[in-house]
Amino acid sequence: MLEKRKFKRKHLIFNLTVKDRDTGLPLGRLGDITTAGIMLVNKDPIEVNSSFTLDIEVPKEIFSKKQLILTAKSMWSRKDDASGLYDTGFEFLDLKARDIDALLGLIVNFE
């Protein structure tokens, strides 16, 4: 598969939950992250080309807020044959400078 990623993804050492802010339901666990997007791991597939308001739960020791809220679009989803789980890639939309700073802090503190 041709690699289209512009940024090198960082795999996190902590298992962070990401929820759909509109429904309050979990979308999955954070698998990896860049300042451009994330990959979530879940037992169910996520519809591609859908926009979500993501609520990323972060430890309060790292951030003053308990969550990071970002808008993203699901770009791809595929089943991992080894684990039986689905990996879904999201691209962040309309990031502000403070969002990028928060993402960089998350990457630095958890890699």
Side-chain angles (χ1 to χ4, degrees), residues 3-11 32-39 76 90-92 95 100 103-104 107:
E3 183 68 43
K4 296 180 183 179
R5 189 170 294 124
K6 295 178 186 174
F7 301 94
K8 184 177 179 183
R9 292 213 178 236
K10 299 289 184 175
H11 298 279
D32 57 36
I33 188 169
T34 72
T35 55
I38 60 174
M39 182 189 73
W76 55 267
F90 288 83
E91 180 180 7
F92 294 130
L95 287 180
I100 294 171
L103 287 166
L104 287 171
I107 291 166

